[in-house]
Amino acid sequence: MTTIYPVIMCGGSGTRLWPASRPSRPKQFIPLAGNRSLFQETAARVAELAGEDGELVVVGGASHKQTILDQLEEIGVTAAVILEPEGRDSSAAMAAAALWTAGRKPTAVNLFVASDHHIPDAGAFRQSIAEAVAAAAEGRIVTLGVVPSEPSSAYGYIAPTGLGLSNVLAFVEKPDPITAQRYIAEGYLWNSGNFIVRADVLAQEIADRAPAVGEVVRVALEQAESDGSCLTLGDGFKSAPKISIDYAVMEKTTRASVLPVKFEWSDLGAWDAVHASGEGDVGLHILEDSEGCLVRACDGVMVAAIGLRDVGVIVERDAVLVTDLKRSQDVKRVVERLRISSPQHLDFPADPSPESLEAGAARLATWMRQAALPIWSTLGQDAAGGFEEVLALDGRQIATPRRARVQARQLQVYAEAGRQGWRGPWRSVVASGLDRLRLSYLRPDGRMRTLLSPEGRPLDETAMVYDQAFLIFALAAISEATENVELEREAAAVHNLLIQTADAQGGMKEAGDHPYQSNAHMHLLEAALAWEQSDGEPLWSALADQIVLLARTRFIDAETGSLREYFNSDWSPASGEDGELIEPGHQFEWAWLLARYGKARNDPSAISDAWRLYESGLRGVPAKRGVAIDAMNMDGSVRNGRSRLWPQTEWLKASLILAELNEGGRRNDCLEQAAHALRALWRYLTPQGLWRDKMLENGSFIDEPAPASSFYHIMAAYCELRRTMAVLKFPNSKSIDL
């Protein structure tokens, strides 16, 4: 059976459909004849032709990447997307798809279809394609010729040599009305612009008959950059000759055939064709004593018309077109006049540019200085020095049990704020908070108990490894900020208690439902690196080495480079769903730690592992949503599509440190990811210094108080921003000082 790779061509701007169709939103992405866009209708019509062996391919402009991905996702269709840095007409676009396909299966047949055609009878279309594919498999280049329903000057024509599937005698341009009548009488067909041809045949034809096109496209494919399902052609593509496939190949080849088809077809090239589809009206409108009219109103606009006949009224927010539908083709003249008189109306007003990394970082520093640090050191800390577990989004305190880890995290945040130069009362916050922790949270053996009641009564005496890690981490930050070297003895005592419980692999058993986990070790590594950075005792470097060895030999899957969460007692992956869990936020967090570790020890292999973890994390950032999701499975499927705040900070931190450790294109990619991550983080933060925590898949947030535990993540992201911008010598790095 012949393998088919359908190719949807997304070029063209549809200027005759102004003001609805413009360069940033061309007609193929607009619902013109129904609820779905023409592109979506096309994708739904041809996707199943790929079968199990083929693959749907979309060729479009790089500027339309997100629109293509979003619209495919809306209808549940997947595709390989080839992006042109600049449109160079159909021959270059088709050459790219043919060469790409030939690289996978040379004898596969490409079905090239326009993205903006209206074909209501998908069954009849696919039946015709089956006949055309059989001829294409034998080496013919088949185009579909629509049997005309009337003489039309809107289409090009094809002269066949006979009835049925036959050779092409000639391709002719759009005729005047009298010539169109003659063409109909002589059996000419409308040129639909659909082509069916074997990939290797088209690649060779282009190489033979348009070698400049073929060579430029071949090099552009070799230089292409991959991003998930998208392949962006190299910049050399911009130098490809701008020529249509008709001129480049079809008028020269000896392989051209045409198959007459009788299904309903329109390229919806002008507003009269949209009206003829019967499904072109959109939006709110009232017609009084009016017939044969087309009305399209944008959201929020009501159109009322009285006494009109055969008139089109198309309303966008910045422009209105009123036209006799019989004069629809003349809209192109209006567009030409706009180029001189009002060029700003040739396209929709541009969306504001995404906030840059520098601008977002400066805004974050201001937010930290003026809002977050003040509110959590006042409303977020009681008179006895204890930190609130949560604050309502209106700043109200809510009585709830207080976890030891939150107390330690908040101490670390304010000690770090002091180190970063914040002039607020961080010393008193830290001093009273540390006194409270020692008095209420430390057990007689020096470890922290897990939980206190709102009144300060012990509720859970369990000493979690996770909590002890944050105690060690907080003491490191306080020691560094206050220059109190005596605190290392407290931290070392906790370290010694923990290290005694380590097994032969160097792992430590956690209390609770998941005793063998990577997460608690991650925070122990963070604490060890903090003490090591402040010139602590050698025991901290030894602890860091121990945990990194465990991570690289047990936690990280050698095949995928992803880090698992849960394990058996021998540190082999846990069975069932527990062993398959992948958290994108933890991929980023471990990547950040391993990158720090590799940099400190000049260990390229650790940095390489960090990069693999980073790539694993990026698989959990859906392009459409732009935020890191909570949980996936090892096979890449989504387990939990919600998005908490903290993974966004870890995405940011990992992107920043890896930008520092790389150069050239990879550094630029990391900095771009960092900017994306910072914009994602800003979606959670409120102007008052608080935050939302859990984003649902539809982009809304769960209505709940702000958890204090998130502040540790935000502070770490801020510190990494400040450090990386200084290392890379950003021009305005001083603007993010606290």
Side-chain angles (χ1 to χ4, degrees):
M1 180 178 290
T2 303
T3 299
I4 302 175
Y5 279 69
V7 181
I8 301 176
M9 307 286 286
C10 279
S13 58
T15 56
R16 290 181 179 85
L17 293 180
W18 183 89
S21 173
R22 307 192 208 179
S24 62
R25 190 190 68 183
K27 72 170 185 173
Q28 58 266 31
F29 300 122
I30 305 171
L32 286 176
N35 294 324
R36 297 194 294 194
S37 72
L38 296 176
F39 168 68
Q40 289 175 315
E41 293 287 358
T42 303
R45 184 166 59 248
V46 304
E48 70 179 59
L49 293 171
E52 295 182 0
D53 298 327
E55 186 173 5
L56 177 63
V57 182
V58 176
V59 182
S63 62
H64 298 140
K65 172 183 175 180
Q66 199 58 52
T67 301
I68 292 170
L69 294 175
D70 289 349
Q71 294 204 357
L72 287 173
E73 184 177 1
E74 286 173 7
I75 61 173
V77 171
T78 59
V81 181
I82 299 175
L83 298 171
E84 304 168 289
E86 178 183 288
R88 303 305 295 171
D89 219 317
S90 58
S91 63
M94 291 174 66
L99 288 168
W100 183 89
T101 303
R104 283 146 184 79
K105 189 167 185 179
T107 58
V109 168
N110 282 134
L111 161 61
F112 291 97
V113 296
S115 60
D116 57 357
H117 290 180
H118 178 55
I119 303 175
D121 192 343
F125 171 82
R126 287 192 283 264
Q127 187 174 357
S128 297
I129 294 302
E131 184 177 351
V133 165
E138 298 299 320
R140 304 299 298 172
I141 305 177
V142 183
T143 185
L144 301 183
V146 178
V147 176
S149 58
E150 60 184 356
S152 174
S153 299
Y155 305 127
Y157 285 74
I158 301 173
T161 58
L163 301 176
L165 181 67
S166 64
N167 291 340
V168 173
L169 182 63
F171 290 89
V172 294
E173 293 292 331
K174 298 174 182 179
D176 58 57
I178 296 176
T179 305
Q181 289 181 340
R182 177 169 62 82
Y183 285 166
I184 296 295
E186 295 176 0
Y188 282 46
L189 307 166
W190 284 338
N191 186 352
S192 72
N194 298 285
F195 298 92
I196 304 92
V197 55
R198 223 169 58 201
D200 59 346
V201 169
L202 182 58
Q204 190 59 53
E205 285 284 318
I206 290 175
D208 292 343
R209 304 180 188 283
V213 172
E215 180 58 22
V216 167
V217 173
R218 182 189 64 77
V219 173
L221 270 171
E222 292 175 353
Q223 298 172 341
E225 295 184 1
S226 180
D227 177 17
S229 62
C230 297
L231 188 73
T232 303
L233 298 170
D235 277 350
F237 186 83
K238 298 176 182 178
S239 64
K242 198 170 187 179
I243 182 172
S244 73
I245 195 67
D246 285 349
Y247 290 135
V249 172
M250 298 306 294
E251 293 184 357
K252 304 173 184 177
T253 184
T254 60
R255 296 175 179 266
S257 298
V258 60
L259 176 67
V261 296
K262 295 184 178 180
F263 50 73
E264 183 181 345
W265 169 87
S266 172
D267 70 351
L268 298 186
W271 289 117
D272 59 343
V274 174
H275 177 57
S277 74
E279 301 179 87
D281 289 329
V282 171
L284 297 173
H285 58 278
I286 297 173
L287 300 182
E288 181 69 25
D289 189 25
S290 298
E291 294 180 358
C293 294
L294 170 73
V295 179
R296 296 177 65 88
C298 63
D299 289 344
V301 174
M302 162 65 78
V303 173
I306 303 171
L308 299 183
R309 299 291 183 273
D310 302 323
V311 170
V313 181
I314 295 85
V315 180
E316 294 292 336
R317 292 203 175 276
D318 64 332
V320 177
L321 170 71
V322 180
T323 178
D324 182 333
L325 287 172
K326 293 187 291 294
R327 299 283 304 276
S328 292
Q329 294 290 333
D330 292 341
V331 171
K332 192 170 184 179
R333 297 183 185 177
V334 173
V335 172
E336 291 303 317
R337 292 179 64 181
L338 285 173
R339 297 187 193 282
I340 299 172
S341 62
S342 187
Q344 69 269 25
H345 289 99
L346 291 172
D347 206 348
F348 293 103
D351 292 331
S353 298
E355 187 174 48
S356 69
L357 183 64
E358 289 178 273
R363 188 157 65 104
L364 183 65
T366 301
W367 178 85
M368 294 277 283
R369 183 191 316 114
Q370 295 183 350
L373 286 166
I375 197 171
W376 286 98
S377 61
T378 52
L379 298 179
Q381 188 180 34
D382 62 31
F387 294 101
E388 298 289 339
E389 182 78 15
V390 298
L391 285 176
L393 293 181
D394 61 3
R396 286 180 298 108
Q397 295 159 328
I398 299 174
T400 185
R402 297 181 182 181
R403 293 174 294 169
R405 65 189 59 177
V406 169
Q407 306 303 305
R409 284 187 178 202
Q410 294 295 76
L411 283 171
Q412 186 274 332
V413 164
Y414 281 93
E416 191 62 61
R419 290 187 62 224
Q420 297 295 327
W422 185 54
R423 296 186 179 183
W426 67 270
R427 289 185 183 274
S428 61
V429 171
V430 169
S432 61
L434 184 57
D435 287 344
R436 177 64 170 171
L437 182 145
R438 286 170 171 158
L439 177 66
S440 301
Y441 286 90
L442 287 188
R443 305 189 320 187
D445 64 358
R447 302 189 200 197
M448 284 201 304
R449 52 177 60 92
T450 298
L451 195 66
L452 295 183
S453 71
E455 299 76 29
R457 177 172 45 86
L459 293 179
D460 188 342
E461 291 290 330
T462 306
M464 304 285 290
V465 175
Y466 189 103
D467 294 343
Q468 313 320 307
F470 274 104
L471 173 57
I472 295 171
F473 187 42
L475 291 172
I478 297 169
S479 175
E480 186 80 6
T482 63
E483 299 181 352
N484 183 353
V485 296
E486 296 300 317
L487 293 178
E488 186 172 9
R489 275 189 283 183
E490 287 186 47
V494 180
H495 163 278
N496 294 339
L497 291 171
L498 288 174
I499 209 72
Q500 292 171 15
T501 68
D503 59 22
Q505 302 292 338
M508 297 175 199
K509 185 177 178 180
E510 180 62 287
D513 296 336
H514 294 287
Y516 302 99
Q517 58 171 262
S518 57
N519 195 20
H521 293 83
M522 178 178 70
H523 294 298
L524 269 178
L525 174 59
E526 183 175 28
L529 291 176
W531 276 111
E532 179 182 275
Q533 184 177 327
S534 63
D535 297 324
E537 295 294 327
L539 60 89
W540 303 114
S541 295
L543 178 59
D545 292 341
Q546 172 182 319
I547 295 172
V548 168
L549 178 63
L550 183 64
R552 297 178 70 185
T553 57
R554 299 291 180 168
F555 298 165
I556 300 172
D557 180 69
E559 182 177 345
T560 65
S562 300
L563 179 129
R564 299 179 192 268
E565 297 291 327
Y566 302 125
F567 304 86
N568 298 315
S569 59
D570 62 353
W571 298 103
S572 60
S575 58
E577 291 187 355
D578 282 350
E580 294 296 308
L581 175 62
I582 298 295
E583 294 192 17
H586 283 157
Q587 310 303 305
F588 291 131
E589 200 163 1
W590 275 97
W592 176 67
L593 288 167
L594 280 185
R596 287 178 58 192
Y597 177 89
K599 179 185 177 184
R601 283 158 175 71
N602 194 25
D603 183 353
S605 63
I607 296 173
S608 178
D609 284 343
W611 185 262
R612 294 189 74 197
L613 286 168
Y614 179 66
E615 290 180 320
S616 176
L618 288 177
R619 289 193 282 272
V621 185
K624 180 179 179 181
R625 293 182 58 193
V627 289
I629 64 173
D630 283 356
M632 302 172 65
N633 296 306
M634 282 291 291
D635 63 4
S637 59
V638 174
R639 180 181 293 201
N640 183 348
R642 293 194 316 186
S643 301
R644 292 191 65 189
L645 179 152
W646 70 265
Q648 320 315 318
T649 66
E650 305 315 310
W651 174 21
L652 174 57
K653 288 159 53 183
S655 298
L656 289 166
I657 195 167
L658 289 170
E660 179 188 334
L661 296 175
N662 287 280
E663 297 179 347
R666 183 173 273 192
R667 171 177 288 179
N668 291 336
D669 289 343
C670 288
L671 290 175
E672 184 176 347
Q673 287 291 335
H676 281 302
L678 184 52
R679 291 194 290 270
L681 175 59
W682 270 113
R683 295 169 68 177
Y684 294 78
L685 307 182
T686 73
Q688 295 77 23
L690 300 171
W691 42 80
R692 281 79 57 93
D693 183 49
K694 300 181 184 72
M695 181 190 292
L696 300 175
E697 293 184 58
N698 63 6
S700 65
F701 288 92
I702 293 178
D703 187 8
E704 60 184 349
S709 58
S710 299
F711 206 178
Y712 143 78
H713 291 283
I714 297 168
M715 175 59 80
Y718 163 76
C719 292
E720 191 62 38
L721 266 168
R722 188 180 183 200
R723 193 190 62 79
T724 299
M725 290 176 66
V727 169
L728 298 184
K729 294 180 171 50
F730 274 62
N732 299 316
S733 59
K734 287 292 184 183
S735 66
I736 66 167
D737 290 353
L738 287 183

